[in-house]
């Protein structure tokens, strides 16, 4: 149940943004949109991170954007490989940008920009050398 936050076309475009963001690095980016109202969202976000096998990439450089629009909740989880390169202030900055845009109703723009921005960071620290298999699917997942 998407509510009116993102259209199907925007979701498809975000998947394309993920593909292009991943093009130049070995990193993996996922977006998960959760509509459950009961759960402990911080805990659920980490469970989703594991269920999506995001802790299993070769360089430990997967990034999850976990969103619950109804609860106005967003968390960004970067695995240990990328986290130790960019440190917490990077995620805080990205989080602030996305939540500010969400507050204006710019859901798609915020996520697209954040995905492409994360791709640039991943490219900086995890450039592609040789083959670059997609280790995780690019689809946006829902619960």
């Amino acid at each position: 149940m998407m509510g009116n936050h993102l259209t199907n076309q925007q979701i498809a475009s975000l998947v394309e943004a993920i593909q292009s963001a991943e093009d130049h690095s070995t990193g993996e980016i996922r977006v998960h949109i959760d509509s459950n109202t009961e759960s402990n969202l911080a805990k659920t976000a980490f469970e989703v991170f594991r269920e999506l096998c995001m802790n299993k990439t070769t360089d430990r450089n997967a990034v999850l954007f976990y969103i619950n629009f109804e609860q106005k909740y967003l968390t960004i989880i970067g695995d240990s490989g990328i986290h130790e390169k960019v440190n917490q202030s990077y995620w805080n900055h990205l989080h602030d940008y996305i939540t500010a845009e969400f507050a204006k109703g710019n859901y798609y723009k915020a996520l697209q920009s954040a995905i492409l921005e994360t791709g640039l960071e991943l490219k900086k620290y995890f450039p592609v050398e040789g083959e670059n298999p997609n280790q995780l699917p690019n689809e946006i997942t829902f619960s």
Side-chain angles (χ1 to χ4, degrees):
M1 194 179 71
M2 279 312 306
N4 51 3
H5 295 97
L6 294 168
T7 66
N8 288 339
Q9 179 56 54
Q10 287 174 329
I11 288 168
S13 297
L14 288 175
V15 173
E16 287 172 20
I18 291 171
Q19 281 161 349
S20 77
E22 290 181 353
D23 259 358
H24 303 290
S25 99
T26 60
E28 298 287 336
I29 300 169
R30 304 285 316 254
V31 174
H32 184 87
I33 297 173
D34 180 30
S35 307
N36 297 313
T37 50
E38 299 306 308
S39 58
N40 169 344
L41 297 174
K43 182 166 168 276
T44 306
F46 278 97
E47 286 165 4
V48 166
F49 190 88
R50 284 194 301 272
E51 281 164 22
L52 295 174
C53 296
M54 295 189 68
N55 53 344
K56 301 217 163 60
T57 62
T58 311
D59 295 320
R60 299 298 297 265
N61 57 358
V63 178
L64 173 67
F65 292 89
Y66 173 93
I67 303 144
N68 186 309
F69 288 118
E70 288 74 21
Q71 304 274 6
K72 297 193 165 26
Y73 182 84
L74 160 75
T75 190
I76 309 164
I77 302 175
D79 203 359
S80 52
I82 181 67
H83 187 71
E84 67 194 16
K85 301 273 198 256
V86 300
N87 72 47
Q88 190 59 42
S89 62
Y90 178 77
W91 306 121
N92 294 347
H93 160 78
L94 206 53
H95 187 280
D96 291 347
Y97 163 76
I98 298 172
T99 45
E101 290 298 318
F102 277 7
K104 299 178 205 158
N106 299 332
Y107 304 108
Y108 169 71
K109 173 180 176 262
L111 286 170
Q112 184 195 37
S113 302
I115 287 164
L116 295 173
E117 170 73 35
T118 301
L120 292 175
E121 285 299 297
L122 287 166
K123 176 182 165 187
K124 200 185 300 180
Y125 298 110
F126 299 99
V128 175
E129 289 152 11
E131 288 295 296
N132 185 22
N134 197 20
Q135 298 181 65
L136 296 171
N138 299 332
E139 298 88 53
I140 293 175
T141 50
F142 299 90
S143 58

